[in-house]
């Protein structure tokens, strides 16, 4: 009886185009117009600065908890930049840079995390889904959308995002399996930021890469340097082209790092070392891209300074608009209105109970 290796059709590659020392592999450099490079750079910087402002709003008690993205801008933006507006984008809960790129107004994030459902509303012309907190549950949604696009004979594709932790969820495996069997035009983007709250990548899976999980399902998988926006864009563009051409799904693992807290309710000092964070700070995707653009002659330190000021003003204007809107949204009972077309008896009872509590609180207030 023979005992021999089985040849598998999808090898796993690692792709890096612009490394952390600023060395560029010119043969692999994707063709991106200077204006588009600058658009990507602006989006990365806006993503980072908005994140910082959100963190400070949360610390001041002006919004509730949210999940910062610092360090993951290249992984998100390199991927969505490969999409058309008419494609579908299915985020998890850590994709604010990608959502802003796709047109979500900044104030909507502040309003949503300020506790008002209105901020989570998706514009009717948008093909994006709202953020998704149950880990991994957005994966089957994206597969369903992609499969529907194929069924309708459209060339639209769906792209979904999730973390390394989500690859241990059943939804991830069921989604990839179905997508491959039905050759659904979906791009699975795993942002392997090394941590699922306090669970390190090493305790998540014994697999050498997350990308290789694609092999089991019979689809191409690739691991890319997730802090290298050129590499992410190149891999995503290939995957999108393949999906549009009818050649099915791809799994992209972006190796990156969450530089900040898991959410604003987390203290990462309790489970990871400052040395680790320092190593990854040197790999900052924004600094690396700025060096590339400066070397290329499309960006200067003066332009960066002017852009920083412009972005701060844009964020401040959004904060002002959000706070004005939130001041008008003072009816918590509304949260019951948008769950079902017809409210269940349980929800009706809860709404009535909250209405009684609010009325009692108002009465107490009015009596000082
Ligand atoms: C089904 C489910 N289980 C647990 C949680 C609690 N939880 C929220 S985020 C998270 C970790 C997710 O890690 P990962 O998928 O790597 O994404 P990251 O937060 O790193 O972006 C967990 C366990 C949840 N939201 N949903």
């Amino acid at each position: 009886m023979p005992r021999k290796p089985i040849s598998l059709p999808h090898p796993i590659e690692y792709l890096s185009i612009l490394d952390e020392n600023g060395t560029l592999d010119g043969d692999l450099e994707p063709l991106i117009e200077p204006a588009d490079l600058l658009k990507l750079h602006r989006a990365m910087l806006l993503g980072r600065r908005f994140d910082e402002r959100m963190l400070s709003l949360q610390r001041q008690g002006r919004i509730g908890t949210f999940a910062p993205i610092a360090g993951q801008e290249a992984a998100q933006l390199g991927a969505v930049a490969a999409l058309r507006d008419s494609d579908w984008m299915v985020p998890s809960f850590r994709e604010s840079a990608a959502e802003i790129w796709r047109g979500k107004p900044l104030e909507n994030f502040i309003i949503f995390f300020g506790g008002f459902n209105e901020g989570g509303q998706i514009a009717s012309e948008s093909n994006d889904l709202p953020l998704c907190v149950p880990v991994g549950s957005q994966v089957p949604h994206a597969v369903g959308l992609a499969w529907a696009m194929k069924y309708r004979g459209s060339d639209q594709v769906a792209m979904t995002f999730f973390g390394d932790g989500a690859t241990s969820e059943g939804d991830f495996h069921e989604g990839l399996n179905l997508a491959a069997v039905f050759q659904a035009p979906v791009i699975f983007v795993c942002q392997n930021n090394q941590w699922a709250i306090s669970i390190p990548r090493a305790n998540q899976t014994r697999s050498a890469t997350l990308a290789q999980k694609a092999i089991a399902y019979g689809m191409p998988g690739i691991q890319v340097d997730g802090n290298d926006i050129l590499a992410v864009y190149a891999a995503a563009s290939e995957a999108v082209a393949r999906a549009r051409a009818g050649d099915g799904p791809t799994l992209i693992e972006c190796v990156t790092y969450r530089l900040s807290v898991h959410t604003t309710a987390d203290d990462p000092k309790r489970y990871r070392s400052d040395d680790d964070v320092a190593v990854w700070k040197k790999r900052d995707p924004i600094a690396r891209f700025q060096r590339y653009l400066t070397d290329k002659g499309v960006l200067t330190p003066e332009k960066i300074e002017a852009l920083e000021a412009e972005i701060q003003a844009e964020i401040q204007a959004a904060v002002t608009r959000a706070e004005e809107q939130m001041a008008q949204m003072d009816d918590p009972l509304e949260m019951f209105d948008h769950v079902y077309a017809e409210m269940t008896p349980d929800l009706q009872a809860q709404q009535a109970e909250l209405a009684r509590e609010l009325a009692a609180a108002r009465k107490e207030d009015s009596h000082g």
Side-chain angles (χ1 to χ4, degrees):
M1 290 293 157
R3 182 170 169 151
K4 57 183 185 187
I6 295 172
S7 146
L8 294 169
H10 299 305
I12 297 297
E13 280 181 346
Y14 175 79
L15 178 64
S16 150
I17 297 178
L18 177 69
D19 75 11
E20 60 190 281
N21 305 314
T23 313
L24 176 75
D25 185 329
D27 292 340
L28 295 176
E29 185 183 9
L31 273 177
I32 310 178
E33 291 298 324
D36 292 332
L37 287 172
L38 289 176
K39 205 174 145 204
L40 279 172
H41 169 253
R42 188 185 198 286
M44 286 174 95
L45 209 54
L46 175 61
R48 176 72 60 92
R49 299 293 172 247
F50 185 56
D51 209 57
E52 290 163 357
R53 187 62 191 275
M54 291 282 281
L55 200 53
S56 108
L57 289 175
Q58 193 278 334
R59 297 301 189 229
Q60 294 163 25
R62 288 157 74 186
I63 61 168
T65 195
F66 83 105
I69 60 151
Q72 300 183 215
E73 296 85 356
Q76 298 185 11
L77 289 163
V80 280
L83 294 177
R84 295 178 186 156
D85 287 350
S86 55
D87 292 326
W88 291 88
M89 203 279 276
V90 186
S92 68
F93 47 80
R94 200 187 296 285
E95 273 74 57
S96 53
E99 290 185 272
I100 295 168
W101 176 269
R102 300 275 297 170
K104 182 160 157 178
L106 297 185
E107 57 264 39
N108 284 26
F109 292 89
I110 304 167
I111 293 169
F112 181 77
F113 291 110
F116 297 95
N117 285 331
E118 287 84 342
Q121 204 169 350
I122 302 293
S124 56
E125 69 278 9
S126 166
N127 272 355
D128 295 5
L129 262 53
L131 68 76
C132 192
V133 173
V135 172
S137 57
Q138 69 280 17
V139 175
H141 298 164
V143 176
L145 282 167
W147 191 18
M149 292 307 105
K150 183 173 171 163
Y151 182 75
R152 290 180 174 182
S154 150
D155 71 350
Q156 286 158 279
V157 306
M159 176 179 280
T160 187
F161 290 88
F162 46 88
D164 38 297
T167 64
S168 301
E169 292 282 352
D171 279 346
F172 165 81
H173 297 281
E174 292 170 31
L176 265 70
N177 189 53
L178 195 126
V181 169
F182 291 97
Q183 290 289 279
V186 53
I187 298 94
F188 300 103
V189 182
C190 176
Q191 294 184 78
N192 170 7
N193 67 7
Q194 313 295 324
W195 291 92
I197 313 187
S198 54
I199 303 293
R201 156 71 178 83
N203 289 0
Q204 194 63 247
T205 174
R206 288 281 290 177
S207 293
T209 67
L210 299 173
Q212 74 200 58
K213 291 175 189 280
I215 297 176
Y217 297 108
M219 72 175 78
I222 184 166
Q223 187 184 61
V224 303
D225 179 341
N227 285 13
D228 170 2
I229 194 163
L230 300 179
V232 179
Y233 176 77
S237 300
E238 268 178 37
V240 166
R242 200 161 35 236
R244 242 190 256 299
D247 294 329
T250 302
L251 172 62
I252 301 174
E253 175 191 358
C254 298
V255 180
T256 180
Y257 195 79
R258 158 167 64 76
L259 288 173
S260 183
V261 292
H262 167 73
T263 67
T264 48
D266 169 56
D267 175 8
K269 284 192 185 305
R270 296 183 63 176
Y271 54 81
R272 71 183 187 188
S273 75
D274 290 345
D275 290 351
D276 225 25
V277 181
V279 166
W280 280 93
K281 275 199 172 140
K282 290 204 196 99
R283 300 178 184 156
D284 190 307
I286 299 181
R288 192 185 309 184
F289 196 44
Q290 285 181 334
R291 206 160 45 219
Y292 165 75
L293 295 174
T294 311
D295 289 351
K296 232 180 152 57
V298 293
L299 197 60
T300 60
E302 295 71 35
K303 281 188 188 161
I304 297 176
E305 212 180 300
L307 186 60
E308 291 274 15
E310 188 188 308
I311 283 174
Q312 289 301 355
E314 182 179 338
I315 293 172
Q316 183 50 49
V319 173
T320 306
R321 279 195 303 273
E323 293 194 325
E324 279 167 10
Q325 289 180 45
M326 286 193 286
Q328 308 299 316
M329 298 172 182
D330 61 354
D331 185 4
L333 290 172
E334 259 190 21
M335 72 176 137
F336 294 95
D337 293 344
H338 308 294
V339 184
Y340 297 109
E342 261 176 60
M343 215 188 294
T344 64
D346 267 4
L347 281 182
Q348 279 172 6
Q350 284 179 32
Q351 189 182 35
E353 188 181 336
L354 182 59
R356 277 193 301 276
E357 281 180 20
L358 289 170
R362 268 195 291 271
K363 209 163 152 192
E364 202 162 296
D365 272 358
S366 68
H367 291 143

